[in-house]
Structure formats: C-alpha cells, structure tokens
Amino acid sequence: MTKILLVGPNGRMGRAIKDCVAKSNEYEITRELDSKSWKNAVEEKAKVDVIIDFSLPAALNDVVKLVESHNVPLVSGVTGYSQAQLQQIGKLSQKVPILHSHNMSPGIAWLRRVLSQVPIEWKTQAHLIDIHHKEKRDTPSGTAKTLAEDLGVSIEQISSIRSGSAIGLHSVIFSLPDEELVIEHRALSRNLFARGALQASLWIQNKRPGLYSMVDMFS
Ligand SMILES: NC(=O)c1ccc[n+]([C@@H]2O[C@H](COP(=O)([O-])OP(=O)(O)OC[C@H]3O[C@@H](n4cnc5c(N)ncnc54)[C@H](OP(=O)(O)O)[C@@H]3O)[C@@H](O)[C@H]2O)c1
C-alpha cells in the first residue's frame, strides 16, 4: 500500500485524487495539507512514501521544505510556476526524484511523442488551441505551453478560451499547403489526471533523484 501525503486536498484535483484512492486498494492517503494546515507539518514527518501536490504555485516554498524534510519523491501536477520556481523544482530534483507534469494523462504523453516525429517545417507553422473552465487561473495552460515548447513555437501561437466547465481541450493545428492536420485531445474527467498522478506515485518510488515527466513514465 503506497502511503500518500496529499497537498491541496480540497481543490478540484485534490478531490479527484481522493475519489480514485477510495476506489483502489493500492493507495492510502495518510496526511492531507490544505492552505490552513501547515503548522508543524514540515517538522512532524508523517510516514509517507510519496508526496502528491495539486495545490497552487504560492505553496511551493512550503512544499520544497516538506519534501526536503520527508526525503521522499514528489509528484506535482501544479501549473503556472514562474521560471524561478521551475528552477527551484529543478534544484530540489537533485536531492529527490520528482515527476512534474502539466498534464498527467497518457493521451497528452503520447501526443508529445507524436509531435517529436513531425517534420520541423510543419512544427513552425503550428497553432494551438487551449480550452478550459472559467476558474482556471493560468493562461495559456501549462499543457499548451509544454506543447508549444515541444513544437518550438512561441506562446503567441496559442489561442486560449476560458468558458463554462470544460475540463481541458488541446488542439494542435498544422496548416500545410492545401491541407490541414488537426490533432485534438479532450479530457472528459479529472479522474484521468488523478489516475495518472497515482500511477506516477508508484513509478517514481525507485527512481534516482532527477526531474521526470509523464513521457518518461509512458516510454
Ligand atoms: N497536471 C495535471 O494533469 C493537472 C490537471 C488539472 C489541474 N492541474 C493543476 O493543478 C492545480 C490545482 O488545480 P485545481 O483545479 O484542483 O485547482 P483548485 O480547485 O483551485 O484547487 C487548488 C487548491 O489548492 C489549495 N492550496 C492553495 N494554497 C495552498 C497551500 N499553501 N497549501 C495547500 N493547499 C493549498 C487550495 O486549498 P484551500 O482550499 O485550502 O485554500 C485549493 O483547494 C492547478 O495548478 C492546475 O492548473 C494539473
């Protein structure tokens, strides 16, 4: 049974993780940390195998201290980090294994592998669409930024729509002479990301310190 410390248990993703854990006998959430329950959390060293973080970028300093004091792997799905915060995660990954992914779905991991095969002259013509629910804080989405980076295009090539309750849609459009290729991924439930994060929490446990992605996990 994998013992999980869950940061951000009350959010949309935190609730999806708890829902998936309740239906499984492979995982147990032994400690939850919401924004009000950090007092003594770093020092108390709960017995955990892995920390899963689906909170917000503002929690990063506390999460880093937590990971350092527990000395266990981190699976983070948080998006919207600044460059300095990403460097902070990179530095932490020299001490413990970290899987940080803007999208925990197998579909997006495979899409990223497909994009690595696309001819370079197609990539530079690519446009991206990112559609999410209206409460989403970061625009463009972390996934859209990752795909743009994979394609080598700027974030100006991303069109973002924030509307209704859309869980997450990403389209990559290649406009070619006399033809158009569209590859689209639609997330139909947050349990998709939760299952990916839980799978990652098993996968990461015997890894050396380093920064991993879902592409590594599904390779
Ligand atoms: N990688 C993926 O596959 C994936 C998929 C979906 C979303 N995400 C990302 O995951 C993150 C969470 O998404 P969401 O939709 O669940 O957001 P959400 O519903 O807004 O939930 C965020 C939660 O973070 C908590 N939080 C804020 N500061 C905290 C702190 N210092 N310590 C502990 N908890 C803290 C809040 O807890 P309180 O209620 O206690 O304030 C809130 O419940 C976002 O960055 C989002 O973009 C990633």
Side-chain angles (χ1 to χ4, degrees), residues 30-54:
T30 51
R31 183 77 164 98
E32 297 182 11
L33 285 177
D34 62 24
S35 56
K36 294 175 196 73
S37 55
W38 280 91
K39 198 163 184 276
N40 302 328
V42 172
E43 295 77 22
E44 84 189 15
K45 293 201 186 165
K47 283 199 173 136
V48 293
D49 300 311
V50 62
I51 295 170
I52 298 183
D53 183 12
F54 273 102

mmCIF file of all heavy atoms in Angstrom, residues 30-54:
data_model
loop_
_atom_site.group_PDB
_atom_site.id
_atom_site.type_symbol
_atom_site.label_atom_id
_atom_site.label_comp_id
_atom_site.label_asym_id
_atom_site.label_seq_id
_atom_site.Cartn_x
_atom_site.Cartn_y
_atom_site.Cartn_z
ATOM 1 N N THR A 30 -2.359 9.259 3.906
ATOM 2 C CA THR A 30 -2.115 9.253 5.348
ATOM 3 C C THR A 30 -2.068 10.669 5.929
ATOM 4 O O THR A 30 -2.112 10.848 7.137
ATOM 5 C CB THR A 30 -0.809 8.506 5.686
ATOM 6 O OG1 THR A 30 0.227 9.034 4.868
ATOM 7 C CG2 THR A 30 -0.938 7.021 5.434
ATOM 8 N N ARG A 31 -1.946 11.676 5.045
ATOM 9 C CA ARG A 31 -1.889 13.062 5.541
ATOM 10 C C ARG A 31 -2.356 13.984 4.422
ATOM 11 O O ARG A 31 -1.979 13.791 3.261
ATOM 12 C CB ARG A 31 -0.439 13.385 5.929
ATOM 13 C CG ARG A 31 -0.236 14.756 6.529
ATOM 14 C CD ARG A 31 -0.691 14.807 7.980
ATOM 15 N NE ARG A 31 -0.169 15.967 8.677
ATOM 16 C CZ ARG A 31 -0.847 17.096 8.861
ATOM 17 N NH1 ARG A 31 -2.074 17.235 8.414
ATOM 18 N NH2 ARG A 31 -0.298 18.090 9.527
ATOM 19 N N GLU A 32 -3.199 14.948 4.788
ATOM 20 C CA GLU A 32 -3.655 15.960 3.821
ATOM 21 C C GLU A 32 -3.214 17.327 4.318
ATOM 22 O O GLU A 32 -3.313 17.598 5.514
ATOM 23 C CB GLU A 32 -5.192 15.947 3.726
ATOM 24 C CG GLU A 32 -5.762 14.646 3.218
ATOM 25 C CD GLU A 32 -7.283 14.685 3.102
ATOM 26 O OE1 GLU A 32 -7.872 15.789 3.227
ATOM 27 O OE2 GLU A 32 -7.880 13.622 2.895
ATOM 28 N N LEU A 33 -2.747 18.149 3.404
ATOM 29 C CA LEU A 33 -2.352 19.514 3.787
ATOM 30 C C LEU A 33 -3.078 20.524 2.909
ATOM 31 O O LEU A 33 -2.800 20.627 1.710
ATOM 32 C CB LEU A 33 -0.843 19.705 3.620
ATOM 33 C CG LEU A 33 0.053 19.057 4.670
ATOM 34 C CD1 LEU A 33 1.515 19.283 4.327
ATOM 35 C CD2 LEU A 33 -0.250 19.631 6.052
ATOM 36 N N ASP A 34 -4.022 21.246 3.516
ATOM 37 C CA ASP A 34 -4.654 22.335 2.774
ATOM 38 C C ASP A 34 -3.971 23.643 3.179
ATOM 39 O O ASP A 34 -3.002 23.628 3.948
ATOM 40 C CB ASP A 34 -6.180 22.359 2.998
ATOM 41 C CG ASP A 34 -6.557 22.601 4.449
ATOM 42 O OD1 ASP A 34 -5.738 23.178 5.195
ATOM 43 O OD2 ASP A 34 -7.664 22.207 4.842
ATOM 44 N N SER A 35 -4.473 24.766 2.697
ATOM 45 C CA SER A 35 -3.724 26.013 2.914
ATOM 46 C C SER A 35 -3.663 26.421 4.385
ATOM 47 O O SER A 35 -2.840 27.229 4.764
ATOM 48 C CB SER A 35 -4.307 27.124 2.052
ATOM 49 O OG SER A 35 -5.675 27.257 2.327
ATOM 50 N N LYS A 36 -4.532 25.834 5.232
ATOM 51 C CA LYS A 36 -4.551 26.257 6.639
ATOM 52 C C LYS A 36 -3.893 25.246 7.575
ATOM 53 O O LYS A 36 -3.849 25.462 8.779
ATOM 54 C CB LYS A 36 -6.003 26.483 7.074
ATOM 55 C CG LYS A 36 -6.661 27.645 6.342
ATOM 56 C CD LYS A 36 -8.129 27.777 6.707
ATOM 57 C CE LYS A 36 -8.842 28.658 5.709
ATOM 58 N NZ LYS A 36 -9.047 27.994 4.409
ATOM 59 N N SER A 37 -3.374 24.150 7.048
ATOM 60 C CA SER A 37 -2.921 23.097 7.976
ATOM 61 C C SER A 37 -1.411 22.848 7.945
ATOM 62 O O SER A 37 -0.956 21.752 8.225
ATOM 63 C CB SER A 37 -3.684 21.793 7.693
ATOM 64 O OG SER A 37 -3.552 21.440 6.341
ATOM 65 N N TRP A 38 -0.636 23.925 7.626
ATOM 66 C CA TRP A 38 0.818 23.723 7.504
ATOM 67 C C TRP A 38 1.562 23.765 8.834
ATOM 68 O O TRP A 38 2.711 23.343 8.902
ATOM 69 C CB TRP A 38 1.419 24.777 6.556
ATOM 70 C CG TRP A 38 1.207 24.400 5.126
ATOM 71 C CD1 TRP A 38 0.150 24.755 4.351
ATOM 72 C CD2 TRP A 38 2.050 23.569 4.328
ATOM 73 N NE1 TRP A 38 0.281 24.200 3.104
ATOM 74 C CE2 TRP A 38 1.439 23.469 3.059
ATOM 75 C CE3 TRP A 38 3.251 22.896 4.535
ATOM 76 C CZ2 TRP A 38 1.991 22.726 2.017
ATOM 77 C CZ3 TRP A 38 3.800 22.163 3.500
ATOM 78 C CH2 TRP A 38 3.171 22.079 2.263
ATOM 79 N N LYS A 39 0.890 24.294 9.877
ATOM 80 C CA LYS A 39 1.603 24.461 11.158
ATOM 81 C C LYS A 39 2.197 23.112 11.601
ATOM 82 O O LYS A 39 1.481 22.115 11.682
ATOM 83 C CB LYS A 39 0.615 24.976 12.222
ATOM 84 C CG LYS A 39 1.283 25.576 13.422
ATOM 85 C CD LYS A 39 0.288 26.423 14.221
ATOM 86 C CE LYS A 39 0.971 27.094 15.375
ATOM 87 N NZ LYS A 39 1.077 26.230 16.533
ATOM 88 N N ASN A 40 3.481 23.064 11.815
ATOM 89 C CA ASN A 40 4.224 21.860 12.250
ATOM 90 C C ASN A 40 4.296 20.741 11.207
ATOM 91 O O ASN A 40 4.859 19.686 11.487
ATOM 92 C CB ASN A 40 3.639 21.258 13.548
ATOM 93 C CG ASN A 40 3.646 22.255 14.666
ATOM 94 O OD1 ASN A 40 4.550 23.103 14.722
ATOM 95 N ND2 ASN A 40 2.656 22.195 15.532
ATOM 96 N N ALA A 41 3.696 20.932 10.034
ATOM 97 C CA ALA A 41 3.647 19.836 9.051
ATOM 98 C C ALA A 41 5.045 19.429 8.588
ATOM 99 O O ALA A 41 5.310 18.248 8.368
ATOM 100 C CB ALA A 41 2.802 20.251 7.849
ATOM 101 N N VAL A 42 5.944 20.410 8.467
ATOM 102 C CA VAL A 42 7.291 20.098 7.965
ATOM 103 C C VAL A 42 8.056 19.289 9.014
ATOM 104 O O VAL A 42 8.723 18.308 8.689
ATOM 105 C CB VAL A 42 8.041 21.413 7.623
ATOM 106 C CG1 VAL A 42 9.492 21.143 7.286
ATOM 107 C CG2 VAL A 42 7.342 22.116 6.451
ATOM 108 N N GLU A 43 7.888 19.665 10.274
ATOM 109 C CA GLU A 43 8.651 19.013 11.352
ATOM 110 C C GLU A 43 8.078 17.645 11.724
ATOM 111 O O GLU A 43 8.796 16.758 12.166
ATOM 112 C CB GLU A 43 8.651 19.881 12.630
ATOM 113 C CG GLU A 43 9.364 21.218 12.486
ATOM 114 C CD GLU A 43 8.527 22.253 11.741
ATOM 115 O OE1 GLU A 43 7.286 22.098 11.698
ATOM 116 O OE2 GLU A 43 9.111 23.194 11.181
ATOM 117 N N GLU A 44 6.763 17.466 11.531
ATOM 118 C CA GLU A 44 6.147 16.256 12.110
ATOM 119 C C GLU A 44 6.530 14.965 11.378
ATOM 120 O O GLU A 44 6.424 13.876 11.928
ATOM 121 C CB GLU A 44 4.625 16.394 12.155
ATOM 122 C CG GLU A 44 3.936 16.037 10.864
ATOM 123 C CD GLU A 44 2.458 16.390 10.862
ATOM 124 O OE1 GLU A 44 2.005 17.155 11.726
ATOM 125 O OE2 GLU A 44 1.767 15.909 9.972
ATOM 126 N N LYS A 45 6.996 15.091 10.135
ATOM 127 C CA LYS A 45 7.465 13.950 9.343
ATOM 128 C C LYS A 45 6.481 12.771 9.374
ATOM 129 O O LYS A 45 6.749 11.721 9.961
ATOM 130 C CB LYS A 45 8.849 13.500 9.816
ATOM 131 C CG LYS A 45 9.908 14.537 9.519
ATOM 132 C CD LYS A 45 11.281 13.941 9.489
ATOM 133 C CE LYS A 45 12.310 15.034 9.326
ATOM 134 N NZ LYS A 45 13.652 14.654 9.625
ATOM 135 N N ALA A 46 5.342 12.976 8.731
ATOM 136 C CA ALA A 46 4.355 11.899 8.616
ATOM 137 C C ALA A 46 4.983 10.729 7.865
ATOM 138 O O ALA A 46 5.879 10.916 7.046
ATOM 139 C CB ALA A 46 3.140 12.420 7.863
ATOM 140 N N LYS A 47 4.514 9.508 8.169
ATOM 141 C CA LYS A 47 5.053 8.332 7.487
ATOM 142 C C LYS A 47 4.425 8.254 6.094
ATOM 143 O O LYS A 47 3.260 7.877 5.942
ATOM 144 C CB LYS A 47 4.717 7.072 8.286
ATOM 145 C CG LYS A 47 5.613 6.916 9.483
ATOM 146 C CD LYS A 47 5.605 5.499 10.004
ATOM 147 C CE LYS A 47 6.660 5.384 11.078
ATOM 148 N NZ LYS A 47 6.226 4.673 12.236
ATOM 149 N N VAL A 48 5.204 8.643 5.088
ATOM 150 C CA VAL A 48 4.674 8.649 3.721
ATOM 151 C C VAL A 48 5.726 8.110 2.751
ATOM 152 O O VAL A 48 6.924 8.184 3.020
ATOM 153 C CB VAL A 48 4.241 10.062 3.254
ATOM 154 C CG1 VAL A 48 3.054 10.549 4.038
ATOM 155 C CG2 VAL A 48 5.371 11.054 3.324
ATOM 156 N N ASP A 49 5.231 7.545 1.656
ATOM 157 C CA ASP A 49 6.136 7.050 0.605
ATOM 158 C C ASP A 49 6.320 8.096 -0.478
ATOM 159 O O ASP A 49 7.322 8.103 -1.184
ATOM 160 C CB ASP A 49 5.543 5.781 -0.046
ATOM 161 C CG ASP A 49 5.342 4.683 0.965
ATOM 162 O OD1 ASP A 49 6.290 4.409 1.712
ATOM 163 O OD2 ASP A 49 4.224 4.120 1.031
ATOM 164 N N VAL A 50 5.317 8.947 -0.646
ATOM 165 C CA VAL A 50 5.348 9.914 -1.743
ATOM 166 C C VAL A 50 4.459 11.109 -1.405
ATOM 167 O O VAL A 50 3.472 10.957 -0.671
ATOM 168 C CB VAL A 50 4.897 9.212 -3.066
ATOM 169 C CG1 VAL A 50 3.477 8.699 -2.987
ATOM 170 C CG2 VAL A 50 5.071 10.095 -4.279
ATOM 171 N N ILE A 51 4.856 12.274 -1.911
ATOM 172 C CA ILE A 51 4.029 13.474 -1.742
ATOM 173 C C ILE A 51 3.411 13.792 -3.107
ATOM 174 O O ILE A 51 4.129 13.819 -4.122
ATOM 175 C CB ILE A 51 4.882 14.653 -1.234
ATOM 176 C CG1 ILE A 51 5.400 14.335 0.178
ATOM 177 C CG2 ILE A 51 4.082 15.963 -1.238
ATOM 178 C CD1 ILE A 51 6.450 15.287 0.704
ATOM 179 N N ILE A 52 2.097 13.987 -3.130
ATOM 180 C CA ILE A 52 1.427 14.420 -4.369
ATOM 181 C C ILE A 52 0.926 15.841 -4.144
ATOM 182 O O ILE A 52 0.241 16.124 -3.152
ATOM 183 C CB ILE A 52 0.244 13.493 -4.746
ATOM 184 C CG1 ILE A 52 0.750 12.068 -5.006
ATOM 185 C CG2 ILE A 52 -0.488 14.028 -5.974
ATOM 186 C CD1 ILE A 52 -0.333 11.088 -5.468
ATOM 187 N N ASP A 53 1.273 16.736 -5.062
ATOM 188 C CA ASP A 53 0.897 18.148 -4.917
ATOM 189 C C ASP A 53 -0.006 18.591 -6.069
ATOM 190 O O ASP A 53 0.401 18.593 -7.231
ATOM 191 C CB ASP A 53 2.182 19.001 -4.887
ATOM 192 C CG ASP A 53 1.896 20.490 -4.677
ATOM 193 O OD1 ASP A 53 0.749 20.835 -4.338
ATOM 194 O OD2 ASP A 53 2.841 21.292 -4.856
ATOM 195 N N PHE A 54 -1.249 18.931 -5.717
ATOM 196 C CA PHE A 54 -2.168 19.576 -6.669
ATOM 197 C C PHE A 54 -2.705 20.846 -6.017
ATOM 198 O O PHE A 54 -3.906 21.067 -5.955
ATOM 199 C CB PHE A 54 -3.313 18.641 -7.074
ATOM 200 C CG PHE A 54 -2.977 17.762 -8.248
ATOM 201 C CD1 PHE A 54 -2.635 16.439 -8.051
ATOM 202 C CD2 PHE A 54 -2.987 18.257 -9.541
ATOM 203 C CE1 PHE A 54 -2.310 15.623 -9.127
ATOM 204 C CE2 PHE A 54 -2.653 17.453 -10.629
ATOM 205 C CZ PHE A 54 -2.317 16.129 -10.419
#
